[in-house]
Amino acid sequence: MNPLTQSLISGLMSGAVYALLAVGLVLAFHTTRVVNLAHGESFAIGGLVAATLADAGLPAYVFAPVAIAASVLFLLAVERFLLRPRRSWPIGNLILVTLAAAFLTRGVLQLAMGVDPLSFPRMFTGAPFRIAGGVLPPQGLALIVIGVTTAVAVTLFLLFTPLGRKLRAVAENPDAAELLGVNVDRARSLAFGIAGALGGLSAVLLVPLVSVDYQAGLGMTLRGFIAAALGGMAPATVILAGLGLGLSEALVTNYAGALAQDPIVFIALIAVAVWQSRKIAFGGTGRA
Amino acid sequence: MTLLETRNLSGGYRALTIFSDVNLTIEPNTITGILGPNGAGKTTLLKTLAGLLKAQSGTIRLDGNDVMPLSAHDRARHGIALVPEGRQIFQGLTVKENLGIPRSASRFSAVEFDRRFEEILTIFPRLRERLGQLGGGLSGGEQQMLAIGRALLLDPKVLMLDEPTQGLAPIMVSQVLSSLEALRGRFSMLIVEQNRDFLDRLSNSKFVFRGGKLEQTT
Amino acid sequence: MKIMKFAILTLLAASTGAAHAADPFVVGIVAPTTGSLTTVGLRQLSAVQWWEKKVNAAGGIVGRPVLVVHCNDEGSPEKSASCVRDLISKGSVILLNASVTGPIRAAMPLLQNGPVMVTPSPNIVPSPASYVFQTSPSDVDLTKSIASFLKQNKLDRLAMLASTDASGEVGVASAAEVFPKEGIKYDLARIDLRANDASIQLANIVKPEVKVVFSNYSGGGAAAVVKSYNNLSLAQPLIVSYANISDAFINVIKNDLPTRLLGTGLKAVAPEMLDDPARRKHVEDFMASYKEMTKDNVDMLTLLGLTLADTADAVLRNVKDPRDAASVRTYLETNPVPSIQMLRWSKDRHVGMTADDVSVLEYKKGKWVKADPVQ
């Protein structure tokens, strides 16, 4: 086995998940200006629903769509019942509302699904691919290909379709968008629905390779948020940031060991934060 | 038949009443001006008509139909357009993307929309030169043109403009004035301004806001 | 009406009388029941609660009921210390600690004057001068059992994965103490607790000449190691840590079981390995009764919970005044406590079991049994 090749493969696998999570966070952020700290719960819900249904003997073509639908419904509910009625609240308070939603969801999942980690069988089986001394299981390849393709597709949708432009308009100035006939509530539902689908999809792809429990959500939110922040909350760059984060974590683990991983990632995050605040202080176009 | 009519309309923010008992009648294809100092309630009235603020009491009718239950985006679809104070263009979208936002809400058909899109670029040639630029990079006058052009693409029955000359250089003010004059007679306009000369040149009838009440003036 | 009045008065008299005659023995237990160590805490707590119900149903101990008071430390050292303070203030005569290394260590300095605290964490090696007693073998003992398994199979190479937390540190120290002495060469890699992929670490340490891999990583995250093992299609037997000999762990990796899954476990997990028939019967009776009461199977974590309950039970039955911490300590240092296996402490050693109590087990057909040789 070649540790370097294996690091690159492993980095791409986690990078694809970070990219999916980051794009979901950015979508919600862009339509509401709220960093949705309950975003990762869509991962936990999708993973636990899939595992429970798989345990009940249902095939993947049933449990995967149902799990993704559950994640979609969850984030739609967060937008509809928690954020929409509080539209006039300051953003900081709304972020706390999403944090509360995350903890509440965690509690409900603990009661409903139990505390033990769960998993379910891979959907993509077969002999692993051996590439230059590295090993890539078919499920891992599916994770990288589907994950990156979906993240890119959502970004292209935002940048180049009329609906995507509307979402960006709502993000920037909801009142002005409303005056031009855009249904802001519906646009936000759409953004949260897509974000939920991305959370559910990442669970369906990743959980067979790892496991999921009721408290997986906040950790996932944190990983997605780091990628999103490194990418400046812009949809196109967060995909690169997600992949870059995954690859650099893997290379750090390979060359410097797992103990060095957190310090290096957080130093990078602080450096990016300082760099971005400089840009703002010197009159850049970025909004804090 | 009257186009837009309010009866005893009052509005404001939550418990605070900014204007009350406004009775305003706008006939088709006319230009109505409203004068008044800062804080008199002009912007609040336009936001209430557009649906961004909920009226506290009274009625608003468009073509005889009650529009009070409609949200702002539905009123826009029915022909009430507002070019808000400060232009509020989407800075992160290009000029072309800004102009495309009203497409699906517009009363124009898709083919008609594309034709009108061309027409807007003829009325405001500066916008044609800047189609690919981000809205945030435009000058104040260009932003005003973009904001008006964008609202025109809704095919409004009544176009409301909130302080269209605010912060513009005199040369830009006259450009905005001539483009609005060119549009006279195609739909109604309701213009709120502090610049009396501007309104004198354009409006068929003028009102002034005093202490939250609307009074006709000459 | 008269009858009702009489009945109420009688009941009242009976209840107040009973309260005077039988103040309960308060037994405090610290166990993480939320957070990443929930499974570890809940399963042990559940065994202790089984004991509480069982004892009280039989009329208590010397006529007094047992009251188990639980405090959730969430696996956090700060909360663990405040839990211990709280449980002492509630009058606990003995403390049970079902948490993990870091939180247990944080609580130990609070017990300079007792009460006695009992914990099953193999990573805790209490000073014999302290009031802390440990019911497992030490981590060094567990490591020794791996070394002797390798020697039995004539192997001198090992690949080892350890987590980056306090438990991982203990594992790394034990390996450095045991393996070189036994002439075993080992390659070590560390893995972050939040990591969901261990393939880089495995790629670095699992070389062709390595015949066995050991993952010293407890909790649900350890599943990532097994899953990565499968992703890389590694064929070597994989030994998992003491804390992963649980149904919950098997359930999460059931779709990705390695060719051979081994683990360091107490012999009681496979009762047929116990030589003492009394111990075997104790374990088998517990397994049956626990299953009947909770509809749940016993795994090693539940058995470790039972060692806590058995120790408390022995103290409450045999020490005249269990509120006197010094006499409880003396009792435990001088009398073996029969539990799932014999717990033997002394004035020089507060660790209850030794390497002899441990075996390398193998998961076969839904059960842990004695491990087969490695080819």
Side-chain angles (χ1 to χ4, degrees):
Chain A
M1 257 188 292
N2 181 335
L4 175 61
T5 323
Q6 198 56 51
S7 308
L8 296 177
I9 290 173
S10 166
L12 282 175
M13 277 163 52
S14 31
V17 174
Y18 297 166
L20 274 179
L21 289 164
V23 169
L25 269 169
V26 165
L27 261 175
F29 174 75
H30 270 265
T31 45
T32 54
R33 292 272 141 197
V34 171
V35 177
N36 175 21
L37 296 181
H39 181 64
E41 305 309 316
S42 65
F43 175 91
I45 289 174
L48 288 171
V49 167
T52 309
L53 296 179
D55 237 19
L58 292 172
Y61 62 81
V62 177
F63 72 67
V66 174
I68 294 174
S71 306
V72 170
L73 283 178
F74 168 71
L75 281 191
L76 284 179
V78 167
E79 192 281 322
R80 177 65 188 83
F81 299 112
L82 296 177
L83 297 180
R84 196 182 294 179
R86 295 171 182 78
R87 205 192 263 179
S88 58
W89 288 23
I91 297 295
N93 295 16
L94 290 177
I95 293 176
L96 287 182
V97 168
T98 65
L99 183 64
F103 280 111
L104 179 68
T105 309
R106 172 191 277 223
V108 170
L109 288 177
Q110 179 176 6
L111 289 176
M113 307 282 197
V115 296
D116 292 331
L118 300 175
S119 195
F120 49 90
R122 296 147 199 248
M123 279 151 285
F124 303 88
T125 50
F129 306 100
R130 294 181 187 275
I131 313 146
V135 185
L136 175 62
Q139 179 82 23
L141 180 66
L143 170 66
I144 296 170
V145 172
I146 299 176
V148 174
T149 312
T150 310
V152 169
V154 170
T155 304
L156 293 178
F157 156 76
L158 265 184
L159 290 179
F160 298 114
T161 66
L163 202 51
R165 282 194 280 274
K166 275 192 204 168
L167 290 188
R168 284 190 290 142
V170 167
E172 202 184 305
N173 192 331
D175 277 358
E178 185 84 14
L179 288 175
L180 293 170
V182 178
N183 186 338
V184 169
D185 287 339
R186 198 183 298 160
R188 287 180 171 164
S189 289
L190 179 69
F192 274 73
I194 298 174
L198 296 181
L201 179 67
S202 36
V204 164
L205 292 172
L206 177 66
V207 171
L209 296 171
V210 291
S211 67
V212 64
D213 61 16
Y214 71 97
Q215 56 195 342
L218 274 176
M220 283 295 162
T221 303
L222 181 67
R223 289 162 196 220
F225 177 71
I226 293 175
L230 287 171
M233 300 307 269
T237 44
V238 298
I239 299 179
L240 293 176
L243 290 172
L245 179 66
L247 283 171
S248 53
E249 272 186 5
L251 291 173
V252 168
T253 303
N254 188 41
Y255 289 112
L259 286 169
Q261 192 176 301
D262 274 358
I264 291 181
V265 167
F266 283 102
I267 286 170
L269 186 62
I270 291 166
V272 169
V274 169
W275 169 252
Q276 294 207 336
S277 64
R278 247 188 86 208
K279 215 166 69 180
I280 290 161
F282 293 108
T285 54
R287 281 178 64 166
Chain B
M1 189 182 162
T2 298
L3 178 70
L4 186 81
E5 186 181 36
T6 72
R7 281 281 161 263
N8 303 323
L9 187 68
S10 303
Y13 297 88
R14 301 198 178 176
L16 180 68
T17 300
I18 307 275
F19 64 85
S20 58
D21 295 322
V22 166
N23 292 300
L24 183 67
T25 307
I26 293 174
E27 300 300 333
N29 306 330
T30 57
I31 301 183
T32 307
I34 299 179
L35 283 161
N38 272 337
K42 307 184 303 283
T43 296
T44 315
L45 173 64
L46 291 193
K47 282 187 168 178
T48 308
L49 292 174
L52 287 181
L53 288 174
K54 220 169 129 63
Q56 291 174 339
S57 62
T59 58
I60 307 168
R61 289 177 176 277
L62 180 73
D63 290 330
N65 300 316
D66 183 12
V67 297
M68 296 284 271
L70 299 184
S71 60
H73 63 265
D74 278 330
R75 291 188 201 183
R77 284 162 188 264
H78 283 85
I80 300 180
L82 169 62
V83 178
E85 190 180 12
R87 275 78 81 173
Q88 312 287 340
I89 60 149
F90 304 115
Q91 310 212 357
L93 271 61
T94 63
V95 169
K96 193 176 174 191
E97 287 174 332
N98 265 280
L99 289 170
I101 295 296
R103 178 180 282 273
S104 62
S106 175
R107 299 193 308 130
F108 291 130
S109 68
V111 178
E112 183 67 6
F113 188 91
D114 292 335
R115 209 177 64 74
R116 296 295 176 133
F117 192 98
E118 269 306 306
E119 189 193 27
I120 299 294
L121 299 181
T122 316
I123 299 174
F124 303 113
R126 295 286 282 271
L127 295 183
R128 189 189 294 279
E129 297 162 25
R130 308 241 184 286
L131 269 182
Q133 273 190 20
L134 289 184
L138 301 184
S139 72
E142 290 164 344
Q143 291 196 359
Q144 188 63 56
M145 291 170 189
L146 177 56
I148 295 173
R150 211 170 56 171
L152 288 177
L153 284 169
L154 281 169
D155 186 17
K157 290 178 180 168
V158 54
L159 177 70
M160 305 188 287
L161 297 120
D162 193 352
E163 308 242 9
T165 68
Q166 192 187 41
L168 296 190
I171 174 116
M172 277 298 169
V173 173
S174 55
Q175 274 195 27
V176 169
L177 182 67
S178 55
S179 40
L180 291 178
E181 265 176 339
L183 293 163
R184 180 194 293 277
R186 290 168 64 166
F187 44 80
S188 296
M189 291 187 222
L190 174 61
I191 306 174
V192 152
E193 257 298 342
Q194 300 195 53
N195 181 341
R196 190 173 188 116
D197 291 346
F198 187 84
L199 283 190
D200 283 345
R201 296 277 300 276
L202 277 172
S203 56
N204 308 90
S205 56
K206 278 202 298 288
F207 294 85
V208 66
F209 244 124
R210 281 199 193 95
K213 305 274 184 194
L214 201 60
E215 298 166 11
Q216 184 123 28
T217 178
T218 50
Chain C
M1 276 315 283
K2 246 183 182 171
I3 294 174
M4 280 298 288
K5 207 172 178 182
F6 174 76
I8 290 168
L9 282 175
T10 317
L11 271 175
L12 271 176
S15 59
T16 48
H20 277 294
D23 275 342
F25 285 117
V26 178
V27 175
I29 176 165
V30 182
T33 46
T34 55
S36 63
L37 298 159
T38 304
T39 304
V40 174
L42 267 187
R43 297 194 77 80
Q44 296 184 68
L45 175 63
S46 170
V48 172
Q49 287 169 337
W50 166 87
W51 165 72
E52 179 191 24
K53 278 187 200 141
K54 195 100 178 141
V55 164
N56 288 336
I61 294 177
V62 292
R64 291 172 64 179
V66 169
L67 178 64
V68 171
V69 182
H70 165 234
C71 180
N72 175 12
D73 72 344
E74 299 173 26
S76 124
E78 298 78 25
K79 294 206 170 125
S80 164
S82 64
C83 267
V84 163
R85 261 184 235 114
D86 185 45
L87 292 171
I88 292 175
S89 75
K90 285 181 174 155
S92 303
V93 290
I94 187 166
L95 289 173
L96 310 178
N97 199 322
S99 195
V100 293
T101 319
I104 298 172
R105 280 186 184 155
M108 286 163 64
L110 301 171
L111 305 167
Q112 304 291 345
N113 302 307
V116 162
M117 180 168 87
V118 190
T119 176
S121 167
N123 292 344
I124 301 293
V125 179
S127 147
S130 75
Y131 284 96
V132 181
F133 288 79
Q134 198 259 79
T135 62
S136 287
S138 68
D139 192 67
V140 169
D141 294 329
L142 294 171
T143 311
K144 280 181 184 161
S145 77
I146 295 175
S148 72
F149 179 75
L150 293 177
K151 284 173 75 181
Q152 279 162 28
N153 286 284
K154 303 194 169 39
L155 299 170
D156 59 358
R157 282 298 296 261
L158 181 72
M160 175 173 169
L161 263 176
S163 55
T164 51
D165 65 344
S167 308
E169 293 301 332
V170 174
V172 169
S174 307
E177 183 182 331
V178 173
F179 292 139
K181 257 190 234 161
E182 305 283 349
I184 294 166
K185 252 192 90 194
Y186 66 105
D187 296 294
L188 172 71
R190 305 294 294 271
I191 178 165
D192 188 89
L193 278 179
R194 292 171 296 111
N196 50 33
D197 179 39
S199 54
I200 301 170
Q201 286 85 347
L202 290 169
N204 271 294
I205 57 173
V206 184
K207 297 164 185 154
E209 63 272 27
V210 168
K211 297 286 179 256
V212 177
V213 180
F214 169 45
S215 161
N216 149 289
Y217 184 165
S218 38
V225 175
V226 182
K227 298 233 168 191
S228 297
Y229 212 74
N230 191 340
N231 292 343
L232 297 176
S233 331
L234 294 174
Q236 290 89 337
L238 172 67
I239 305 180
V240 294
S241 90
Y242 190 66
N244 279 331
I245 311 290
S246 73
D247 289 350
F249 183 70
I250 293 295
N251 190 44
V252 67
I253 60 162
K254 64 178 182 287
N255 301 311
D256 297 270
L257 284 175
T259 327
R260 289 185 63 188
L261 180 67
L262 312 183
T264 47
L266 291 174
K267 289 179 175 165
V269 175
E272 66 279 4
M273 291 178 73
L274 294 171
D275 302 324
D276 179 350
R279 294 305 100 230
R280 203 181 313 149
K281 183 170 185 316
H282 182 58
V283 172
E284 283 165 355
D285 288 352
F286 170 65
M287 286 176 168
S289 164
Y290 182 83
K291 179 148 195 177
E292 196 189 313
M293 192 183 285
T294 64
K295 311 283 172 259
D296 203 2
N297 283 321
V298 166
D299 60 18
M300 198 164 78
L301 288 168
T302 347
L303 288 174
L304 291 175
L306 183 60
T307 65
L308 298 179
D310 285 337
T311 308
D313 193 275
V315 166
L316 298 181
R317 281 182 205 284
N318 299 306
V319 179
K320 213 176 215 169
D321 181 8
R323 281 170 308 172
D324 176 17
S327 60
V328 174
R329 177 165 67 182
T330 311
Y331 175 79
L332 291 177
E333 283 171 346
T334 48
N335 295 280
V337 170
S339 181
I340 55 173
Q341 290 166 228
M342 281 310 250
L343 303 173
R344 287 192 180 84
W345 294 290
S346 69
K347 285 202 180 325
D348 311 314
R349 184 174 152 98
H350 279 200
V351 173
M353 292 198 213
T354 65
D356 291 340
D357 293 299
V358 196
S359 177
V360 173
L361 305 173
E362 179 159 8
Y363 188 72
K364 278 163 97 178
K365 296 183 188 136
K367 274 176 70 178
W368 289 96
V369 295
K370 189 176 179 357
D372 288 339
V374 176
Q375 302 304 318

